[in-house]
Amino acid sequence: MGMTNNKTVLDWIDQQIALCKPEKVVWIDGSEEQLEALRQEACATGEMYKLNQEKLPGCYLHRSDPTDVARVESRTFICCEKKEDAGPTNNWMDPKEMYAKLNKLYDGSMKGLTMYVIPYCMGVVGSPFAKYGIELTDSIYVVLNMAIMTRVGKDAAAYLDEGFIKGLHAKRDLNPDDRYIVQFPQDNAICSVNSGYGGNVLQGKKCFALRIASNLGRQEGWLAEHMLILGIQNPQGEVRYVTGAFPSACGKTNLAMLIPPEGYQKDGWKCWCVGDDIAWMRVGPDGRLWAVNPENGFFGVAPGTNEKSNPNALHTTQKGTIFTNVALNLDDDTVWWEKLDKNPPHNALDWMGNPWSPETAGGRPAAHPNSRFTAPAKNCPCISPEFENPNGVPISAIIFGGRRAKTAPLVYQSRDWAHGVFVGSIMGSEKTAAAEGTVGETRRDPMAMIPFCGYHMADYWQHWLDMEKSISNPPKIFNVNWFRTDDKGEFIWPGFGENMRVLEWILKRCFDETGARETEIGYLPNVDDINLEGVDVSRETLADLLSVDKALWTEEVAGIRDFYRQFGDKLPKALADELDALEARLKA
Ligand code: OXD
Ligand code: MN
């Protein structure tokens, strides 16, 4: 269709056509006419369902196969040449062996089907941060989701000469035993097969923007991170930016779209969302770290999203959104999920398309716990005016967080960059009853990158440590924990919008505008350094939230030693030294 004359691109596509043998090949040009025709086709075949267009204009529902509802870490591979370069936290297979396996699966997989060629851009097209890719897929659902999550079509295709990430996706028969999500860093290539579920097959997101991009960042001297980007505007009108990494189920999307408490709003504070999941960060000419969100939409978890927990996310999903695996309210063709409101529909279909009502469900959820919305970023009421700034936004603070009942205080600041990398490397969450494994056991998830780091985790830490040399004006690094509990297991800190109080302290620390006290684990606020006006938290409770239990931290040191052991002599010496220094301070 003449969207590119690039011979490398065209030859590669021809090879994939010869392999998959589609009946037809269609290039996605990004036009509304073409996308609309595809929506109609998907509705005609039952792949999508058109929702109430008065209440939810441009919105559709899709149900994935019940055996294909989440990312599958056990079937996700990093296929670099040498096993030791993938490290102990990734699955690895020899690239030749993997290609042989995949080629068998792809061979003839698109017979009678259409192959869609999606040229796409991660980042603002033409910006110095942007990277380009092509995903070949036999799924209209993938095309339509990619058109929300990334910039697709002619504009992106015009830049393919700058190099591109090769992506191939075939749904095949969705056999879970032959499901593969594979990254080949040496070839800048991604292959997914036997899945139709978002996180596995929308290749721009985890596969490209994290697993492949983390490799590019290492080679080119920048960082591809699993982080939200949030702008915080103070009453003087100045906007300061933070990025934040959190494991799943820690409220990352809520923090990315935070609404300040009423008192803060009256004083003129505002928050702006730049991104909710991924940050690409480079050193700017001013020596600061600048971040862009390479995505163009949100692929958010639906259950739990409501008018209270995250009104901005809810409003974002009211138009132009694809819902996956939520419940359908048959009375008015709208959608529902657990905790959306207290009025579950009585005449509904659950996420599998079976009749559902609260009376007859017997506790069966209406929506899958990992049901999702794919919504355009521009719908978000608090989307940052800098969202499309090709140079990104300057980062003042990097925040790491997890879910810890006792150990981690509400917030602490690292002593310096290397200590901050240490703080990121020991991130973890305690298992809740919902996750498999022993309740209370800490699952370490350094920088929230365990499933997404495209090379050896210890080399990744070394890359973080090395970045210090090129950042003359580095962001300060912090850790937060919204999840401390009392003796009854109840959360002590109210969280949500009230987290603004912690963000205020963090940003003030970055500009030497507030105090702190030095402890064994880093710098903590004094009780008077956190604003408690207008929130039902006493000074005593805050003091408790800001306490450091030496006995627990001594246990923590032992846990970290255990965790570090698997990285052997690849563990950066700077991190081993940080651990020893922490232990020494606790003993002193
Ligand atoms: C996501 C994830 O879907 O981190 O963003 O799993
Ligand atoms: Mn994520």
Side-chain angles (χ1 to χ4, degrees):
M1 227 172 67
M3 274 166 63
T4 180
N5 296 320
N6 184 300
K7 192 165 163 359
T8 316
V9 174
L10 297 175
D11 285 351
W12 170 71
I13 294 175
D14 281 344
Q15 284 161 21
Q16 311 316 306
I17 293 172
L19 176 63
C20 300
K21 305 177 181 63
E23 182 176 309
K24 217 165 82 177
V25 177
V26 171
W27 282 70
I28 299 303
D29 61 18
S31 69
E32 180 49 32
E33 298 76 51
Q34 189 186 37
L35 294 173
E36 183 52 30
L38 289 170
R39 287 179 203 119
Q40 284 179 20
E41 187 179 337
C43 288
T45 60
E47 188 177 355
M48 292 206 313
Y49 180 84
K50 196 173 195 166
L51 294 163
N52 185 323
Q53 295 298 297
E54 257 151 54
K55 292 185 175 172
L56 297 168
C59 292
Y60 295 82
L61 169 67
H62 168 81
R63 297 188 192 102
S64 71
D65 188 271
T67 64
D68 185 29
V69 293
R71 287 186 295 100
V72 276
E73 287 170 27
S74 62
R75 316 243 17 128
T76 301
F77 289 77
I78 302 296
C79 293
C80 43
E81 291 301 327
K82 289 194 229 134
K83 186 172 195 302
E84 65 256 36
D85 291 334
T89 59
N90 283 312
N91 299 312
W92 177 89
M93 198 184 287
D94 176 77
K96 278 187 219 72
E97 205 178 310
M98 181 59 93
Y99 275 125
K101 199 184 263 296
L102 290 171
N103 286 346
K104 265 192 216 138
L105 294 170
Y106 284 129
D107 191 2
S109 61
M110 297 189 189
K111 272 189 190 150
L113 303 177
T114 301
M115 173 190 275
Y116 299 96
V117 180
I118 317 172
Y120 67 100
C121 174
M122 300 310 292
V124 175
V125 177
S127 106
F129 274 95
K131 299 269 178 198
Y132 303 88
I134 292 182
E135 179 166 355
L136 307 175
T137 178
D138 52 14
S139 160
I140 295 182
Y141 172 78
V142 168
V143 173
L144 295 174
N145 274 271
M146 286 291 284
I148 296 172
M149 294 304 296
T150 76
R151 281 96 172 163
V152 303
K154 283 199 178 99
D155 297 352
Y159 284 87
L160 290 169
D161 291 348
E162 293 192 2
F164 70 106
I165 306 300
K166 307 171 184 125
L168 178 58
H169 163 240
K171 284 202 306 274
R172 248 179 138 254
D173 59 2
L174 305 178
N175 178 357
D177 297 330
D178 275 331
R179 187 169 294 157
Y180 289 96
I181 318 300
V182 188
Q183 286 69 207
F184 297 94
Q186 272 102 345
D187 300 338
N188 283 332
I190 303 162
C191 292
S192 336
V193 67
N194 275 312
S195 174
Y197 177 78
N200 299 326
V201 299
L202 308 181
Q203 294 182 343
K205 195 177 186 58
K206 305 300 189 182
C207 304
F208 180 162
L210 290 175
R211 299 194 191 101
I212 294 288
S214 59
N215 278 281
L216 299 175
R218 183 189 185 196
Q219 290 155 28
E220 299 168 3
W222 53 281
L223 296 165
E225 298 301 324
H226 190 202
M227 290 181 178
L228 63 86
I229 311 170
L230 174 65
I232 295 149
Q233 183 173 332
N234 65 21
Q236 293 77 49
E238 185 191 0
V239 186
R240 297 168 172 176
Y241 296 90
V242 305
T243 59
F246 296 81
S248 59
C250 289
K252 192 167 152 208
T253 302
N254 295 346
L255 183 61
M257 299 181 187
L258 180 134
I259 297 178
E262 223 164 272
Y264 277 80
Q265 290 183 40
K266 277 209 192 98
D267 290 346
W269 292 86
K270 270 196 194 120
C271 289
W272 302 104
C273 175
V274 183
D276 79 325
D277 198 40
I278 297 173
W280 284 359
M281 300 191 284
R282 285 173 195 268
V283 186
D286 58 359
R288 290 190 290 177
L289 206 50
W290 290 70
V292 297
N293 171 9
E295 299 191 282
N296 202 24
F298 306 114
F299 184 64
V301 176
T305 306
N306 59 50
E307 203 50 71
K308 255 201 160 139
S309 68
N310 195 339
N312 283 323
L314 195 60
H315 294 174
T316 304
T317 65
Q318 300 305 291
K319 60 180 183 196
T321 294
I322 299 173
F323 296 94
T324 301
N325 295 340
V326 299
L328 174 65
N329 182 344
L330 290 169
D331 285 339
D332 65 352
D333 272 337
T334 57
V335 288
W336 193 81
W337 50 77
E338 273 61 32
K339 298 202 186 136
L340 171 62
D341 54 39
K342 298 209 169 84
N343 309 306
H346 289 264
N347 176 26
L349 296 180
D350 71 6
W351 64 275
M352 290 179 286
N354 299 317
W356 187 96
S357 79
E359 292 79 20
T360 57
R364 247 183 331 117
H368 188 277
N370 191 37
S371 54
R372 298 277 177 152
F373 53 78
T374 314
K378 65 175 188 307
N379 285 1
C380 182
C382 61
I383 195 72
S384 165
E386 303 300 317
F387 174 68
E388 303 245 66
N389 188 329
N391 297 315
V393 294
I395 300 305
S396 300
I398 293 174
I399 303 172
F400 295 119
R403 184 182 276 268
R404 305 300 301 268
K406 300 283 175 213
T407 317
L410 180 62
V411 58
Y412 67 99
Q413 181 186 351
S414 70
R415 302 162 68 90
D416 52 31
W417 181 267
H419 181 235
V421 176
F422 170 75
V423 167
S425 80
I426 65 170
M427 258 175 72
S429 268
E430 278 146 24
K431 284 181 185 152
T432 58
E436 56 186 340
T438 319
V439 174
E441 188 189 325
T442 306
R443 183 190 167 176
R444 301 271 165 203
D445 188 357
M447 283 83 167
M449 283 289 277
I450 280 271
F452 308 120
C453 182
Y455 57 102
H456 197 299
M457 187 59 82
D459 291 332
Y460 164 79
W461 291 330
Q462 189 61 55
H463 176 51
W464 262 85
L465 291 162
D466 292 343
M467 283 295 292
E468 184 180 12
K469 293 184 219 83
S470 54
I471 318 175
S472 54
N473 192 357
K476 305 270 193 286
I477 302 179
F478 298 79
N479 189 268
V480 299
N481 175 28
W482 316 132
F483 301 97
R484 267 226 194 172
T485 55
D486 60 20
D487 296 338
K488 293 189 216 87
E490 308 276 348
F491 293 122
I492 310 174
W493 178 249
F496 296 102
E498 307 300 345
N499 293 336
M500 182 68 206
R501 300 167 191 279
V502 176
L503 295 176
E504 183 187 7
W505 180 78
I506 286 176
L507 285 170
K508 287 190 165 157
R509 283 297 293 168
C510 296
F511 292 85
D512 289 324
E513 295 164 355
T514 185
R517 69 191 168 96
E518 191 175 349
T519 74
E520 296 82 356
I521 65 168
Y523 300 101
L524 267 79
N526 300 294
V527 172
D528 292 322
D529 296 329
I530 301 259
N531 174 15
L532 289 181
E533 215 176 286
V535 65
D536 191 16
V537 174
S538 68
R539 293 183 85 251
E540 292 68 41
T541 304
L542 182 60
D544 189 29
L545 284 161
L546 295 174
S547 62
V548 177
D549 183 326
K550 278 211 209 183
L552 282 177
W553 274 93
T554 303
E555 276 174 42
E556 181 77 356
V557 165
I560 298 165
R561 269 196 209 292
D562 271 353
F563 173 66
Y564 272 178
R565 204 159 288 131
Q566 67 186 302
F567 303 102
D569 50 15
K570 278 238 188 190
L571 180 74
K573 182 172 179 305
L575 296 188
D577 290 349
E578 288 292 341
L579 182 57
D580 291 342
L582 171 61
E583 187 169 41
R585 288 194 299 269
L586 288 164
K587 275 194 184 140

